[in-house]
Amino acid sequence: MNVLHDVPFEHTPGALSRHADDPDWWRGAVIYQIYPRSFQDSNGDGIGDLKGITQRLPYIASLGVDAIWLSPFFKSPMLDFGYDVSDYRDVDPMFGSLADFDAMITEAHRLGLKVMIDQVISHSSDKHPWFIESRQDRSNPRADWYVWADAKPDGSPPNNWLSIFGGSAWQWDTARCQYYLHNFLTSQPDLNFHNGEVQNALLDTVRFWLDRGVDGFRLDTINFYFHSAGLEDNPPLSPEKRNASIAPAVNPYNYQEHLHDKNQPENLEFLKRFRALLDEYPGTTAVGEVGDAQRGLDIVAQYTSGGDKVHMCYSFDFLSQEPLTPERVREVIEAFYSKASDGWACWSFSNHDVVRHASRWADQVHDRDAFLKMTATLILALKGSVCLYQGEELGLTEAVLDLKDLQDPYGIQFWPTFKGRDGCRTPMVWSQKEPGAGFSSGKPWLPVPPEHLHLAVSTQEKPGSLLSHYRHMLDFRAENPELAKGDIRFLEARDGVLVFERTLPGSSILVAINMSGNPASLPLAGKEHRPLDNMNAGSRFEDGTLHLPAYASWFARKGT
């Protein structure tokens, strides 16, 4: 038993090294996402850092996950909290140093954890030396490294493209007397991927981190790399086709069909270059973030097919407000694998950009704890890799913050209808009793919600807790390779129950999950099922009928 402050945890090295010699470890891997600002502060300044992450790695290892993914820690003016990079090859001092990163990755590998980092290469900060040079004039060596365009004759922007963060996607620059493209904040100019020198420079930054021992990358806004060189206007999108899965409903970004500002076919060739670089480092991987409200799954299928682009992608299908139902789960999974039969998905229910699913889906349920255990079971039983967001294993809810406490420019822009992303980025709660919930001895950069304290790690180190359930399910997944790497086939069911088989050659596991708050019974043909009792508490199979309590699951190995 190890203890950090008053937080105990079990460490099982045997389970942690199960993918040590598997070059395809990523296929079916469970990746724990860390938002560095909010995970653990080691120096009392109220901001999480790399040394803090290193201190907490034994806890992450105790969960039984395969890898960690770190949101950006690079040098940055932090106007978008690290997603505006000013130096791709260095650590921002608020997070520590390159030596701290090296120490962290060494400890992670010692514990059997792979390390993935965010690569934000669709855009940089306007403080990056490349952009500072590019904006000087129209003839400098990097004049074409960003997306510049002349104004229309009336002085207005080159076209109607909109920024996800509100307003035009074009910003006037007085030095060049031209507009530059920014799909996000005005301080995040888009790099020009049509320029081969830009691609080379960005791939060199990727190699820098590969040489430091990282095992993979999460590619931010992967479908935004290329824009249409013709700068055509996006057509309007009819109201009935609009949805708020990528941008909040109050954002006019949803009013356009984004045919020309992203999702360009040239991206496929760049992703092949990226994959070729990764292939020089056996065992490395990449998961791409695809953000598109109309064609997300089609793009994911393109980017993961053929074995020569990214290894896996995740879309926003399970990150939206749309209710989680058996019908919805089956629709999304079957749609993906019908479009990309040789591709691989990475599923997530929460991350640093969306309302936590403990609030998004569970606010209206009668038994929140049982519901959240069900969602954990579900995502860890589906075909695909999985990203778990820090605090998800504790059932953390979306924090309700006052306007004065907001840090996110997105939330400040659209307050109060859309309150931004700070509510899912509040500090990790380690201890119910310690100041700052064990996150920091100083004033945290975002408040620690009082309603999170009873969910702290220290209170859930006991049988029957949600944290215990995550550990149990992760162990169960690791012990049954069908759940990590097997195929999936859905069976007909009813009454809120999802039924499917996970199969490998010569073996099969039948899974039934009651996704409703009511008991359910359903006929189940055959007597060859051998229940896996360690996952089926309260469920029973009698006389050809499966009986499931509310939010319960049932796993059985087919045959003897």
Side-chain angles (χ1 to χ4, degrees):
M1 180 76 73
N2 297 292
V3 177
L4 182 63
H5 302 299
D6 66 350
V7 181
F9 52 85
E10 296 293 339
H11 178 204
T12 52
L16 300 174
S17 59
R18 59 183 175 270
H19 294 306
D21 300 318
D22 181 5
D24 284 341
W25 64 268
W26 54 270
R27 193 181 296 274
V30 180
I31 305 162
Y32 187 88
Q33 182 193 354
I34 296 172
Y35 193 69
R37 292 179 72 93
S38 298
F39 197 62
Q40 179 63 58
D41 170 24
S42 69
N43 60 9
D45 66 356
I47 298 173
D49 47 49
L50 293 176
K51 285 185 176 179
I53 292 171
T54 303
Q55 290 172 14
R56 297 294 188 181
L57 284 175
Y59 164 79
I60 299 172
S62 78
L63 298 175
V65 299
D66 304 293
I68 58 173
W69 147 32
L70 273 66
S71 288
F73 51 84
F74 312 108
K75 276 191 174 178
S76 166
M78 297 292 163
L79 296 180
D80 192 23
F81 302 105
Y83 285 90
D84 48 332
V85 179
S86 59
D87 188 340
Y88 286 104
R89 297 171 182 254
D90 205 355
V91 174
D92 193 280
M94 74 166 54
F95 297 126
S97 65
L98 281 171
D100 294 332
F101 178 85
D102 293 341
M104 183 211 67
I105 202 170
T106 297
E107 176 65 1
H109 287 163
R110 186 187 73 80
L111 292 170
L113 293 167
K114 305 287 188 180
V115 177
M116 302 175 67
I117 65 173
D118 238 314
Q119 282 294 106
V120 190
I121 58 176
S122 70
H123 55 269
S124 75
S125 165
D126 61 357
K127 305 303 182 188
H128 196 292
W130 296 345
F131 187 73
I132 292 172
E133 182 176 356
S134 184
R135 77 188 314 177
Q136 288 178 354
D137 54 50
R138 302 188 187 193
S139 60
N140 66 79
R142 291 192 172 92
D144 192 42
W145 278 41
Y146 292 82
V147 184
W148 295 95
D150 292 329
K152 288 182 178 179
D154 63 359
S156 59
N159 58 33
N160 70 346
W161 296 353
L162 296 174
S163 163
I164 283 187
F165 285 172
S168 172
W170 297 96
Q171 178 68 19
W172 181 253
D173 184 80
T174 55
R176 291 183 50 145
C177 287
Q178 283 184 306
Y179 285 95
Y180 65 83
L181 179 66
H182 63 91
N183 276 296
F184 301 93
L185 294 176
T186 58
S187 57
Q188 293 171 299
D190 274 57
L191 285 149
N192 181 16
F193 276 72
H194 291 285
N195 185 322
E197 291 181 353
V198 171
Q199 293 188 29
N200 293 341
L202 290 169
L203 291 174
D204 282 346
T205 69
V206 173
R207 186 182 293 277
F208 174 85
W209 294 104
L210 288 168
D211 287 341
R212 295 197 94 85
V214 304
D215 303 290
F217 302 90
R218 181 265 191 182
L219 299 174
D220 184 66
T221 58
I222 189 175
N223 56 317
F224 283 76
Y225 291 169
F226 281 86
H227 64 285
S228 170
L231 302 183
E232 301 91 341
D233 279 353
N234 283 328
L237 187 67
S238 58
E240 64 272 12
K241 293 183 179 179
R242 297 173 191 166
N243 69 70
S245 62
I246 305 303
V250 295
N251 191 341
Y253 186 85
N254 295 318
Y255 291 25
Q256 292 185 358
E257 187 170 4
H258 294 274
L259 296 182
H260 304 299
D261 51 347
K262 59 183 181 179
N263 306 334
Q264 300 305 294
E266 295 94 328
N267 204 24
L268 296 175
E269 291 306 312
F270 174 75
L271 294 180
K272 290 178 182 178
R273 292 193 66 194
F274 188 96
R275 176 63 174 267
L277 172 57
L278 262 60
D279 287 346
E280 295 179 27
Y281 297 79
T284 58
T285 190
V287 53
E289 176 202 32
V290 172
D292 190 85
Q294 277 71 50
R295 294 173 298 280
L297 279 178
D298 296 285
I299 297 165
V300 167
Q302 289 178 10
Y303 290 3
T304 61
S305 65
D308 59 353
K309 294 176 281 294
V310 292
H311 300 76
M312 49 188 168
C313 277
Y314 71 85
S315 69
F316 284 71
D317 292 274
F318 293 136
L319 296 173
S320 70
Q321 291 283 353
E322 191 163 347
L324 189 70
T325 64
E327 295 76 18
R328 174 67 174 157
V329 172
R330 179 173 181 174
E331 173 191 15
V332 169
I333 304 296
E334 289 187 334
F336 174 81
Y337 287 109
S338 67
K339 294 175 185 292
S341 58
D342 62 342
W344 195 259
C346 185
W347 307 113
S348 57
F349 288 164
S350 288
N351 71 15
H352 64 292
D353 280 334
V354 302
V355 174
R356 286 185 177 272
H357 75 268
S359 291
R360 200 168 72 241
W361 292 330
D363 268 354
Q364 305 303 318
V365 303
H366 176 68
D367 189 338
R368 176 190 292 270
D369 187 65
F371 176 85
L372 292 176
K373 288 176 179 177
M374 180 275 293
T375 61
T377 300
L378 172 63
I379 198 168
L380 292 170
L382 295 175
K383 179 182 179 180
S385 301
V386 176
C387 279
L388 301 178
Y389 181 47
Q390 65 181 50
E392 183 174 336
E393 75 279 14
L394 306 178
L396 295 190
T397 54
E398 186 78 358
V400 180
L401 302 177
D402 294 331
L403 177 59
K404 64 179 177 60
D405 292 321
L406 288 197
Q407 303 286 331
D408 182 14
Y410 202 4
I412 294 170
Q413 170 78 5
F414 288 102
W415 177 276
T417 309
F418 172 67
K419 298 180 180 179
R421 302 163 296 179
D422 289 326
C424 63
R425 298 176 175 182
T426 54
M428 184 75 170
V429 284
W430 298 100
S431 170
Q432 187 176 26
K433 299 177 181 178
E434 287 190 63
F439 162 71
S440 176
S441 60
K443 181 182 178 182
W445 75 285
L446 283 174
V448 176
E451 65 271 19
H452 284 183
L453 294 178
H454 76 284
L455 300 171
V457 174
S458 64
T459 71
Q460 296 201 47
E461 289 286 358
K462 59 186 179 183
S465 68
L466 180 60
L467 174 59
S468 175
H469 180 81
Y470 268 89
R471 285 190 175 125
H472 186 43
M473 186 62 202
L474 283 160
D475 285 345
F476 183 73
R477 179 182 173 98
E479 292 164 0
N480 294 277
E482 297 92 339
L483 298 179
K485 297 182 183 292
D487 205 351
I488 190 168
R489 182 174 72 91
F490 289 92
L491 306 179
E492 293 300 326
R494 63 175 189 270
D495 298 332
V497 179
L498 183 70
V499 183
F500 54 90
E501 289 181 340
R502 299 297 313 279
T503 58
L504 285 172
S507 63
S508 177
I509 291 178
L510 183 68
V511 183
I513 301 175
N514 184 359
M515 297 177 62
S516 80
N518 300 309
S521 298
L522 66 152
L524 202 61
K527 299 181 179 179
E528 74 278 15
H529 307 303
R530 179 165 54 86
L532 299 170
D533 292 331
N534 60 333
M535 284 303 298
N536 296 328
S539 302
R540 68 185 194 280
F541 181 50
E542 297 176 345
D543 300 325
T545 299
L546 178 61
H547 302 276
L548 293 168
Y551 301 126
S553 61
W554 188 76
F555 290 76
R557 186 168 294 284
K558 297 191 70 175
T560 57

